[in-house]
Amino acid sequence: SQTIHQWPATLVQPVGSPLSLECTVEGTSNPNLYWYRQAAGRGLQLLFYSVGIGQISSEVPQNLSASRPQDRQFILSSKKLLLSDSGFYLCAWSKGGEQYFGPGTRLTVT
Amino acid sequence: GEDVEQSLFLSVREGDSSVINCTYTDSSSTYLYWYKQEPGAGLQLLTYIFSNMDMKQDQRLTVLLNKKDKHLSLRIADTQTGDSAIYFCAEREEDSSYKLIFGSGTRLLVRP
């Protein structure tokens, strides 16, 4: 069966510090991978998606970036965090009709 | 562009049925989804319906799709306090990304 992991689960970072969130998927190959952000009390905003290794599409221009160094690894990064980057970050994978989400990382920028 | 809309809040009594409604705009979507999010957790895929279906039933869950009106609903029978959560509907974009466009979520409160 397939599983998706995210870490860390929670993170508190000062403004201007770098960020690296990691997502890995087990039990499947060549999935589509996604990063979403959920601001407090709001819906999900798609940030990036990837259909293969090294292929990244950005949905929202901002100070975040994503990379896919391996087939089942997806990384969300920032060189300098802003207060507005606070939120709940969710990674997801899909292959065919269904899309499954990881447990999320709650990021607080102080 | 794509837009998915849901009402923000629904309150029901335990044991009653809950109906959560959603409208979408992309008529080419072949899959439509319902997700559940409990506090502090990720999204759990509850069920989905293929666009050539009118109805799908899975235990206490019934999904109805009116493709003409682009209206999707989720009915939860015999609603329990454990069903209290935020419910998101989503439509799938029909390109190689298969990305989902989400509604803003409906918060369901089940009163004992």
Side-chain angles (χ1 to χ4, degrees), chain A residues 24-88:
Chain A
T24 59
V25 181
E26 296 176 355
T28 188
S29 60
N30 197 30
N32 281 9
L33 296 172
Y34 309 84
W35 279 111
Y36 293 87
R37 177 171 61 200
Q38 185 178 32
R42 300 183 66 180
L44 283 81
Q45 177 186 41
L46 179 65
L47 302 176
F48 301 94
Y49 68 90
S50 171
V51 299
I53 296 175
Q55 300 178 62
I56 307 295
S57 296
S58 173
E59 290 290 299
V60 182
Q62 55 202 323
N63 69 320
L64 299 172
S65 61
S67 61
R68 184 171 178 174
Q70 300 180 49
D71 181 43
R72 290 170 291 175
Q73 184 185 31
F74 206 22
I75 297 172
L76 183 69
S77 304
S78 174
K79 292 181 180 177
K80 287 186 177 181
L81 283 168
L82 306 173
L83 284 175
S84 58
D85 291 323
S86 292
F88 193 44

Side-chain angles (χ1 to χ4, degrees), chain A residues 32 34 38 59 96-99, chain B residues 33 35 37 48 96-97 99:
Chain A
N32 281 9
Y34 309 84
Q38 185 178 32
E59 290 290 299
E98 300 169 12
Q99 188 167 130
Chain B
Y33 304 82
Y35 285 86
Q37 186 180 36
Y48 63 94
S96 60
S97 72
K99 63 188 179 191

Side-chain angles (χ1 to χ4, degrees), chain B residues 15-35:
Chain B
D16 289 349
S17 292
S18 306
V19 179
I20 302 171
N21 294 300
C22 171
T23 58
Y24 62 98
T25 57
D26 189 356
S27 59
S28 67
S29 293
T30 57
Y31 285 91
L32 296 142
Y33 304 82
W34 283 104
Y35 285 86

Side-chain angles (χ1 to χ4, degrees), chain B residues 39-112:
Chain B
L43 270 69
Q44 174 193 356
L45 178 61
L46 284 178
T47 187
Y48 63 94
I49 188 166
F50 194 60
S51 61
N52 68 355
M53 299 168 67
D54 298 323
M55 184 181 84
K56 180 178 180 182
Q57 189 157 359
D58 184 1
Q59 299 182 339
R60 292 190 298 122
L61 304 179
T62 303
V63 179
L64 295 178
L65 175 61
N66 181 330
K67 202 171 180 183
K68 174 177 170 290
D69 295 336
K70 299 191 186 72
H71 183 266
L72 184 72
S73 67
L74 174 70
R75 178 177 181 269
I76 306 173
D78 187 24
T79 313
Q80 304 297 306
T81 55
D83 295 324
S84 293
I86 301 176
Y87 290 81
F88 292 93
C89 70
E91 62 179 354
R92 191 179 83 164
E93 187 134 319
E94 296 309 316
D95 58 22
S96 60
S97 72
Y98 294 148
K99 63 188 179 191
L100 301 188
I101 309 299
F102 283 86
S104 55
T106 299
R107 184 178 295 276
L108 174 64
L109 176 66
V110 182
R111 310 185 308 273

